[in-house]
Amino acid sequence: MNINATLLAQVLVFAALVWFTMKFIWPQVIDAIDKRNKEIADGLEAAERGRSELAASQDRIEKLVGEARGQASEIIDQANGRAARIVEEAREEGERERQRLVAAAHSEIERETSQARDELRGQVAALAIAGAEKILLREIDASAHGEMLKRFSARI
């Protein structure tokens, strides 16, 4: 065999292979590469959008957490204020109740004191009459003791 013919045949086969590859295989490879590049670009774009959305979400979350903390603080302050008002109202109500009970106790003491004085007067009067009766039984001089008995009965 002739080396020139072999070389020429190999060049022709190689040229046919290059033409076949360029005509049928290369467009599919380029399409696959372009498709893969597009997917990678879309993925990177989606990742960037995700990062920006994540940052925006984190900002919103921080803002909402700050607002929630502010509201919680406000609610706690309101609750503390309400608790202080309730305690003060209870203290005032307790003071009013104490004053009412003290006034009722004073009135009860006055009533019982008055009742005890009336009972004591009755007992003193009974003792005085009993004593006077004993005296009168020993000395029955109605004219001499009449004036004294009138004064004594007027005092009672």
PDB file of all heavy atoms in Angstrom, residues 125-140 148-149 152:
ATOM      1  N   ALA A 125     -79.843  53.116 142.417  1.00  0.00           N
ATOM      2  CA  ALA A 125     -81.139  53.562 142.929  1.00  0.00           C
ATOM      3  C   ALA A 125     -81.754  52.481 143.813  1.00  0.00           C
ATOM      4  O   ALA A 125     -82.300  52.773 144.884  1.00  0.00           O
ATOM      5  CB  ALA A 125     -82.073  53.911 141.786  1.00  0.00           C
ATOM      6  N   ALA A 126     -81.644  51.236 143.355  1.00  0.00           N
ATOM      7  CA  ALA A 126     -82.209  50.137 144.150  1.00  0.00           C
ATOM      8  C   ALA A 126     -81.480  50.020 145.481  1.00  0.00           C
ATOM      9  O   ALA A 126     -82.099  49.820 146.537  1.00  0.00           O
ATOM     10  CB  ALA A 126     -82.117  48.836 143.371  1.00  0.00           C
ATOM     11  N   LEU A 127     -80.123  50.157 145.453  1.00  0.00           N
ATOM     12  CA  LEU A 127     -79.352  50.092 146.697  1.00  0.00           C
ATOM     13  C   LEU A 127     -79.685  51.269 147.612  1.00  0.00           C
ATOM     14  O   LEU A 127     -79.798  51.117 148.837  1.00  0.00           O
ATOM     15  CB  LEU A 127     -77.852  50.082 146.383  1.00  0.00           C
ATOM     16  CG  LEU A 127     -77.295  48.783 145.819  1.00  0.00           C
ATOM     17  CD1 LEU A 127     -75.841  48.971 145.437  1.00  0.00           C
ATOM     18  CD2 LEU A 127     -77.431  47.662 146.833  1.00  0.00           C
ATOM     19  N   ALA A 128     -79.848  52.428 147.012  1.00  0.00           N
ATOM     20  CA  ALA A 128     -80.180  53.606 147.813  1.00  0.00           C
ATOM     21  C   ALA A 128     -81.555  53.450 148.453  1.00  0.00           C
ATOM     22  O   ALA A 128     -81.748  53.799 149.630  1.00  0.00           O
ATOM     23  CB  ALA A 128     -80.142  54.849 146.942  1.00  0.00           C
ATOM     24  N   ILE A 129     -82.461  52.927 147.666  1.00  0.00           N
ATOM     25  CA  ILE A 129     -83.809  52.734 148.226  1.00  0.00           C
ATOM     26  C   ILE A 129     -83.772  51.686 149.320  1.00  0.00           C
ATOM     27  O   ILE A 129     -84.405  51.831 150.378  1.00  0.00           O
ATOM     28  CB  ILE A 129     -84.801  52.370 147.107  1.00  0.00           C
ATOM     29  CG1 ILE A 129     -85.026  53.578 146.215  1.00  0.00           C
ATOM     30  CG2 ILE A 129     -86.111  51.871 147.677  1.00  0.00           C
ATOM     31  CD1 ILE A 129     -85.871  53.315 145.005  1.00  0.00           C
ATOM     32  N   ALA A 130     -82.987  50.617 149.081  1.00  0.00           N
ATOM     33  CA  ALA A 130     -82.878  49.575 150.104  1.00  0.00           C
ATOM     34  C   ALA A 130     -82.238  50.140 151.364  1.00  0.00           C
ATOM     35  O   ALA A 130     -82.672  49.861 152.490  1.00  0.00           O
ATOM     36  CB  ALA A 130     -82.067  48.399 149.574  1.00  0.00           C
ATOM     37  N   GLY A 131     -81.176  50.963 151.160  1.00  0.00           N
ATOM     38  CA  GLY A 131     -80.521  51.582 152.328  1.00  0.00           C
ATOM     39  C   GLY A 131     -81.458  52.548 153.013  1.00  0.00           C
ATOM     40  O   GLY A 131     -81.524  52.610 154.252  1.00  0.00           O
ATOM     41  N   ALA A 132     -82.164  53.307 152.218  1.00  0.00           N
ATOM     42  CA  ALA A 132     -83.102  54.265 152.811  1.00  0.00           C
ATOM     43  C   ALA A 132     -84.205  53.536 153.544  1.00  0.00           C
ATOM     44  O   ALA A 132     -84.668  53.988 154.603  1.00  0.00           O
ATOM     45  CB  ALA A 132     -83.678  55.162 151.721  1.00  0.00           C
ATOM     46  N   GLU A 133     -84.611  52.437 152.973  1.00  0.00           N
ATOM     47  CA  GLU A 133     -85.675  51.658 153.616  1.00  0.00           C
ATOM     48  C   GLU A 133     -85.211  51.145 154.969  1.00  0.00           C
ATOM     49  O   GLU A 133     -85.954  51.199 155.961  1.00  0.00           O
ATOM     50  CB  GLU A 133     -86.051  50.496 152.709  1.00  0.00           C
ATOM     51  CG  GLU A 133     -87.218  49.669 153.192  1.00  0.00           C
ATOM     52  CD  GLU A 133     -87.546  48.581 152.191  1.00  0.00           C
ATOM     53  OE1 GLU A 133     -87.527  48.829 150.973  1.00  0.00           O
ATOM     54  OE2 GLU A 133     -87.807  47.461 152.647  1.00  0.00           O
ATOM     55  N   LYS A 134     -83.951  50.691 155.056  1.00  0.00           N
ATOM     56  CA  LYS A 134     -83.426  50.207 156.323  1.00  0.00           C
ATOM     57  C   LYS A 134     -83.333  51.337 157.333  1.00  0.00           C
ATOM     58  O   LYS A 134     -83.610  51.168 158.518  1.00  0.00           O
ATOM     59  CB  LYS A 134     -82.065  49.557 156.123  1.00  0.00           C
ATOM     60  CG  LYS A 134     -82.163  48.206 155.462  1.00  0.00           C
ATOM     61  CD  LYS A 134     -80.819  47.550 155.400  1.00  0.00           C
ATOM     62  CE  LYS A 134     -80.945  46.201 154.741  1.00  0.00           C
ATOM     63  NZ  LYS A 134     -79.718  45.479 154.661  1.00  0.00           N
ATOM     64  N   ILE A 135     -82.891  52.497 156.809  1.00  0.00           N
ATOM     65  CA  ILE A 135     -82.798  53.653 157.708  1.00  0.00           C
ATOM     66  C   ILE A 135     -84.182  54.043 158.170  1.00  0.00           C
ATOM     67  O   ILE A 135     -84.403  54.331 159.344  1.00  0.00           O
ATOM     68  CB  ILE A 135     -82.108  54.830 157.006  1.00  0.00           C
ATOM     69  CG1 ILE A 135     -80.636  54.502 156.769  1.00  0.00           C
ATOM     70  CG2 ILE A 135     -82.236  56.109 157.801  1.00  0.00           C
ATOM     71  CD1 ILE A 135     -79.916  55.523 155.936  1.00  0.00           C
ATOM     72  N   LEU A 136     -85.104  54.032 157.269  1.00  0.00           N
ATOM     73  CA  LEU A 136     -86.466  54.452 157.606  1.00  0.00           C
ATOM     74  C   LEU A 136     -87.136  53.469 158.555  1.00  0.00           C
ATOM     75  O   LEU A 136     -87.953  53.860 159.381  1.00  0.00           O
ATOM     76  CB  LEU A 136     -87.309  54.618 156.347  1.00  0.00           C
ATOM     77  CG  LEU A 136     -86.982  55.850 155.520  1.00  0.00           C
ATOM     78  CD1 LEU A 136     -87.824  55.866 154.263  1.00  0.00           C
ATOM     79  CD2 LEU A 136     -87.219  57.107 156.315  1.00  0.00           C
ATOM     80  N   LEU A 137     -86.786  52.234 158.416  1.00  0.00           N
ATOM     81  CA  LEU A 137     -87.384  51.265 159.325  1.00  0.00           C
ATOM     82  C   LEU A 137     -86.892  51.490 160.745  1.00  0.00           C
ATOM     83  O   LEU A 137     -87.609  51.229 161.706  1.00  0.00           O
ATOM     84  CB  LEU A 137     -87.062  49.839 158.873  1.00  0.00           C
ATOM     85  CG  LEU A 137     -87.806  49.377 157.618  1.00  0.00           C
ATOM     86  CD1 LEU A 137     -87.350  47.983 157.240  1.00  0.00           C
ATOM     87  CD2 LEU A 137     -89.315  49.369 157.846  1.00  0.00           C
ATOM     88  N   ARG A 138     -85.683  52.005 160.903  1.00  0.00           N
ATOM     89  CA  ARG A 138     -85.186  52.281 162.249  1.00  0.00           C
ATOM     90  C   ARG A 138     -85.746  53.583 162.755  1.00  0.00           C
ATOM     91  O   ARG A 138     -86.127  53.681 163.918  1.00  0.00           O
ATOM     92  CB  ARG A 138     -83.666  52.397 162.222  1.00  0.00           C
ATOM     93  CG  ARG A 138     -82.987  51.085 162.107  1.00  0.00           C
ATOM     94  CD  ARG A 138     -81.519  51.284 162.364  1.00  0.00           C
ATOM     95  NE  ARG A 138     -80.845  50.058 162.016  1.00  0.00           N
ATOM     96  CZ  ARG A 138     -79.582  49.923 161.885  1.00  0.00           C
ATOM     97  NH1 ARG A 138     -78.801  50.959 162.049  1.00  0.00           N
ATOM     98  NH2 ARG A 138     -79.053  48.777 161.596  1.00  0.00           N
ATOM     99  N   GLU A 139     -85.739  54.548 161.920  1.00  0.00           N
ATOM    100  CA  GLU A 139     -86.247  55.851 162.337  1.00  0.00           C
ATOM    101  C   GLU A 139     -87.379  56.226 161.419  1.00  0.00           C
ATOM    102  O   GLU A 139     -87.163  56.666 160.313  1.00  0.00           O
ATOM    103  CB  GLU A 139     -85.169  56.924 162.216  1.00  0.00           C
ATOM    104  CG  GLU A 139     -83.943  56.683 163.007  1.00  0.00           C
ATOM    105  CD  GLU A 139     -82.919  57.760 162.724  1.00  0.00           C
ATOM    106  OE1 GLU A 139     -83.222  58.770 162.076  1.00  0.00           O
ATOM    107  OE2 GLU A 139     -81.795  57.564 163.135  1.00  0.00           O
ATOM    108  N   ILE A 140     -88.518  56.090 161.817  1.00  0.00           N
ATOM    109  CA  ILE A 140     -89.662  56.416 160.982  1.00  0.00           C
ATOM    110  C   ILE A 140     -90.165  57.772 161.412  1.00  0.00           C
ATOM    111  O   ILE A 140     -91.083  57.899 162.207  1.00  0.00           O
ATOM    112  CB  ILE A 140     -90.771  55.375 161.106  1.00  0.00           C
ATOM    113  CG1 ILE A 140     -90.215  54.016 160.775  1.00  0.00           C
ATOM    114  CG2 ILE A 140     -91.926  55.726 160.188  1.00  0.00           C
ATOM    115  CD1 ILE A 140     -91.219  52.926 160.767  1.00  0.00           C
ATOM    116  N   MET A 148     -85.396  65.043 152.466  1.00  0.00           N
ATOM    117  CA  MET A 148     -84.222  64.314 151.996  1.00  0.00           C
ATOM    118  C   MET A 148     -84.628  63.290 150.938  1.00  0.00           C
ATOM    119  O   MET A 148     -83.950  63.127 149.918  1.00  0.00           O
ATOM    120  CB  MET A 148     -83.556  63.612 153.184  1.00  0.00           C
ATOM    121  CG  MET A 148     -82.282  62.891 152.785  1.00  0.00           C
ATOM    122  SD  MET A 148     -81.426  62.189 154.165  1.00  0.00           S
ATOM    123  CE  MET A 148     -82.549  60.917 154.662  1.00  0.00           C
ATOM    124  N   LEU A 149     -85.721  62.607 151.118  1.00  0.00           N
ATOM    125  CA  LEU A 149     -86.182  61.611 150.155  1.00  0.00           C
ATOM    126  C   LEU A 149     -86.586  62.272 148.835  1.00  0.00           C
ATOM    127  O   LEU A 149     -86.338  61.723 147.762  1.00  0.00           O
ATOM    128  CB  LEU A 149     -87.351  60.806 150.727  1.00  0.00           C
ATOM    129  CG  LEU A 149     -86.951  59.787 151.808  1.00  0.00           C
ATOM    130  CD1 LEU A 149     -88.196  59.153 152.402  1.00  0.00           C
ATOM    131  CD2 LEU A 149     -86.059  58.729 151.228  1.00  0.00           C
ATOM    132  N   PHE A 152     -83.366  63.168 147.020  1.00  0.00           N
ATOM    133  CA  PHE A 152     -82.717  61.950 146.529  1.00  0.00           C
ATOM    134  C   PHE A 152     -83.456  61.392 145.310  1.00  0.00           C
ATOM    135  O   PHE A 152     -82.818  61.002 144.339  1.00  0.00           O
ATOM    136  CB  PHE A 152     -82.673  60.929 147.676  1.00  0.00           C
ATOM    137  CG  PHE A 152     -81.947  59.669 147.273  1.00  0.00           C
ATOM    138  CD1 PHE A 152     -80.562  59.686 147.086  1.00  0.00           C
ATOM    139  CD2 PHE A 152     -82.618  58.474 147.076  1.00  0.00           C
ATOM    140  CE1 PHE A 152     -79.902  58.545 146.709  1.00  0.00           C
ATOM    141  CE2 PHE A 152     -81.941  57.345 146.715  1.00  0.00           C
ATOM    142  CZ  PHE A 152     -80.589  57.359 146.527  1.00  0.00           C
TER     143      PHE A 152
END
